[in-house]
Amino acid sequence: MPVPLSVVTEQLPKSQVGMTIEVPAETVDATYERVLNRLTSKAKIEGFRPGRAPRALVEARLGPAVLREEVVDAMVPEVIRQALEERSIDPIENPDVEVLELERGRPARLKATVSVMPEVKLGDASALEVPSPSIEITDEMVERRLDDLRQPLAEITPVERAARSGDLVVIDVEVEVGGAVVASESRKAIEAELKDGVLLPELLAVLPGAVAGETRVASVKFPETYGDPQLAGKEATIRVTLQGVKEKVLPALDDPMAKQLSNGEHETVESFRASTRAALEESAREMAKLERESALVKALVEASSVEVPVALVDRELTSQLESMERSLSRQGLKLDRYLEYLGKTIDQWVAEERPDAEARLKVDLVLGEYAKQQDLEPSDDDVIHFLEEQAGQDDELKGQVDQLKKSQSARRYFASRLRRRRVLDRLAQGTQSGD
């Protein structure tokens, strides 16, 4: 049995606990003895066989500073572990330790600063008022969806007129950054549709109205996450020369077309239109549910208070950096080279990402505390059942169920997803819609 310690604790800012620890003299002396015996057994001193030199000679050769350092290395980790256990403190990283006093025949004094999980003060979830988003589906939305479904069957015809939204255009593209053309991003005679989600919004704004042979220019700020490091986070000039215009003519929506588009499920346009509306309404309800869940989480987090420890944020950022490094490595890129393209150092990247990392952790801590208070923590059986259910719906995971069950990280991941689902369901049930 270890000799009891004298431990005085104090609460510090940023979810830290200070510990002042007094180690009994007998523990200090026993550690000195143990360390000296170990060092003597390994000592190689001229005139003596290895491990046979007198302890006093070995101690004299080492010197008091070296011996003290060896004693610190041997004693401190065990003392800290014992002190944390005696005070039921669960650290989130290795404590910072300062040795205040340490000499033979006297009690040792240590000072430790320990980062711990923060206290979360939950807001009143039942008092949250979050309006339910509208799920109205208009006739225009239905017709637009019916147009989209006929797009693959459209007849494409070259025309001699100015480009319009929805046309297919043949264009030459030249991308310039800092006065230099980026050859890897420049293209000749490519075909693109003037449609949201196909071309950059800046190009969609300048191309309609252009005629063959005309060049339009757009300024673009590429996102930090853009795949080409030469363009990521950079201002660029894009010159687009229109070579030709093609018009898409949709087939008429009649009964035979309705039957074709629905794989025979609907015989008439009216039936197909009603089915399309129902599908849009179901999708809108699901989107509204997700939107309200997101608003509920935001409201609960804002109503709660928690001080996120710096150590947790540092750990989150380290994990994020490691993940980015692995992703870049798969693309044949180095992290430092990628950051150089962005014009940033690692310290600058960390400083920019810190607020988002802290915000994510705050959400996780608040939802975790809510789950604990509402008794929503899933059991091992719940997690296994959920894992099987989710893997069964994913073609890539179907054949990996047994492997996933054995993986601790996979089980933690599915436990986290199940916990979050339960929290969102409970929040949605227990809060006011504000309607």
Side-chain angles (χ1 to χ4, degrees):
M1 283 289 291
V3 179
L5 307 170
S6 170
V7 183
V8 178
T9 62
E10 61 173 328
Q11 290 297 131
L12 301 175
K14 294 289 184 182
S15 297
Q16 292 185 319
V17 176
M19 295 194 302
T20 301
I21 307 166
E22 184 173 290
V23 184
E26 59 185 286
T27 300
V28 174
D29 291 345
T31 305
Y32 264 96
E33 288 296 308
R34 188 168 67 253
V35 167
L36 262 176
N37 287 338
R38 174 173 57 80
L39 294 175
T40 300
S41 68
K42 296 180 179 180
K44 294 180 180 179
I45 296 177
E46 188 177 353
F48 299 91
R49 285 184 295 169
R52 295 294 185 177
R55 280 200 346 165
L57 179 59
V58 172
E59 184 173 354
R61 288 288 182 91
L62 288 171
V66 172
L67 179 58
R68 183 179 188 275
E69 197 63 35
E70 291 283 346
V71 170
V72 167
D73 290 344
M75 184 181 74
V76 168
E78 179 57 30
V79 166
I80 294 299
R81 185 203 63 75
Q82 183 182 340
L84 292 171
E85 187 176 294
E86 288 182 7
R87 287 294 180 268
S88 300
I89 297 173
D90 186 15
I92 58 177
E93 66 170 357
N94 290 330
D96 289 329
V97 182
E98 179 185 0
V99 179
L100 303 176
E101 296 178 19
L102 176 62
E103 59 180 281
R104 278 183 173 133
R106 294 175 57 84
R109 289 181 66 247
L110 314 177
K111 186 175 182 179
T113 303
V114 189
S115 292
V116 296
M117 293 300 288
E119 178 187 5
V120 180
K121 296 180 181 177
L122 278 182
D124 183 0
S126 65
L128 301 178
E129 291 191 22
V130 176
S132 296
S134 169
I135 59 170
E136 179 186 5
I137 299 298
T138 64
D139 291 343
E140 181 185 355
M141 295 165 69
V142 175
E143 294 308 314
R144 191 160 60 242
R145 177 57 180 158
L146 291 172
D147 286 349
D148 288 343
L149 292 171
R150 286 179 288 158
Q151 286 287 340
L153 303 175
E155 181 181 326
I156 300 173
T157 307
V159 292
E160 294 184 3
R161 59 165 172 75
R164 301 171 185 165
S165 179
D167 284 341
L168 287 175
V169 292
V170 179
I171 52 177
D172 295 341
V173 180
E174 184 178 83
V175 181
E176 186 179 289
V177 174
V181 174
V182 182
S184 62
E185 293 292 319
S186 300
R187 301 285 187 273
K188 291 286 188 182
I190 62 169
E191 191 172 81
E193 187 174 2
L194 296 184
K195 180 180 179 181
D196 288 336
V198 177
L199 286 176
L200 292 171
E202 293 85 352
L203 295 182
L204 285 177
V206 300
L207 281 175
V211 295
E214 185 178 355
T215 298
R216 296 285 176 95
V217 180
S219 296
V220 175
K221 171 68 181 291
F222 285 94
E224 301 284 357
T225 55
Y226 194 71
D228 187 339
Q230 294 183 72
L231 296 177
K234 301 290 181 61
E235 297 277 356
T237 298
I238 301 181
R239 292 183 176 84
V240 182
T241 301
L242 187 69
Q243 301 291 358
V245 179
K246 299 177 183 180
E247 185 177 26
K248 297 177 72 173
V249 180
L250 298 178
L253 182 58
D254 52 20
D255 290 348
M257 178 57 62
K259 186 173 182 178
Q260 179 182 343
L261 292 173
S262 66
N263 294 319
E265 290 186 17
H266 298 282
E267 298 285 342
T268 66
V269 172
E270 289 74 16
S271 174
F272 183 52
R273 181 177 277 109
S275 172
T276 301
R277 178 182 289 276
L280 287 173
E281 288 173 344
E282 177 60 31
S283 178
R285 278 191 291 270
E286 186 60 31
M287 289 296 295
K289 178 174 179 284
L290 293 174
E291 188 178 332
R292 184 164 189 266
E293 286 176 348
S294 179
L296 281 168
V297 169
K298 184 174 184 290
L300 180 61
V301 171
E302 289 177 349
S304 304
S305 62
V306 57
E307 194 173 27
V308 182
V310 172
L312 268 187
V313 180
D314 289 343
R315 191 165 69 185
E316 173 76 5
L317 289 168
T318 299
S319 175
Q320 195 175 339
L321 263 178
E322 290 172 349
S323 177
M324 186 165 67
E325 187 170 25
R326 287 193 298 270
S327 177
L328 289 169
S329 179
R330 287 193 291 269
Q331 301 174 51
L333 297 172
K334 296 286 188 181
L335 177 61
D336 55 353
R337 186 67 174 157
Y338 176 72
L339 291 174
E340 187 180 321
Y341 280 131
L342 297 182
K344 299 176 183 177
T345 65
I346 285 184
D347 288 344
Q348 288 171 328
W349 181 91
V350 166
E352 289 177 7
E353 294 294 325
R354 185 172 290 277
D356 287 344
E358 186 170 346
R360 287 195 304 273
L361 287 167
K362 184 175 182 181
V363 171
D364 290 344
L365 290 166
V366 169
L367 295 187
E369 182 64 23
Y370 182 82
K372 189 187 302 180
Q373 292 190 16
Q374 296 289 318
D375 195 24
L376 299 176
E377 289 292 331
S379 66
D380 288 343
D381 288 343
D382 293 336
V383 173
I384 292 297
H385 179 73
F386 181 68
L387 186 157
E388 291 172 341
E389 175 189 278
Q390 295 295 299
Q393 299 171 10
D394 189 311
D395 291 337
E396 291 186 13
L397 298 180
K398 280 181 180 177
Q400 303 178 37
V401 174
D402 289 340
Q403 182 180 345
L404 290 170
K405 287 180 182 178
K406 295 174 183 177
S407 168
Q408 289 295 324
S409 61
R411 290 173 66 161
R412 282 195 300 270
Y413 169 75
F414 283 101
S416 175
R417 285 186 57 185
L418 179 55
R419 183 186 304 111
R420 188 179 182 90
R421 173 183 285 187
R422 288 180 171 183
V423 166
L424 292 174
D425 288 344
R426 181 66 59 84
L427 279 173
Q429 294 167 6
T431 56
Q432 304 173 47
S433 67
D435 294 339

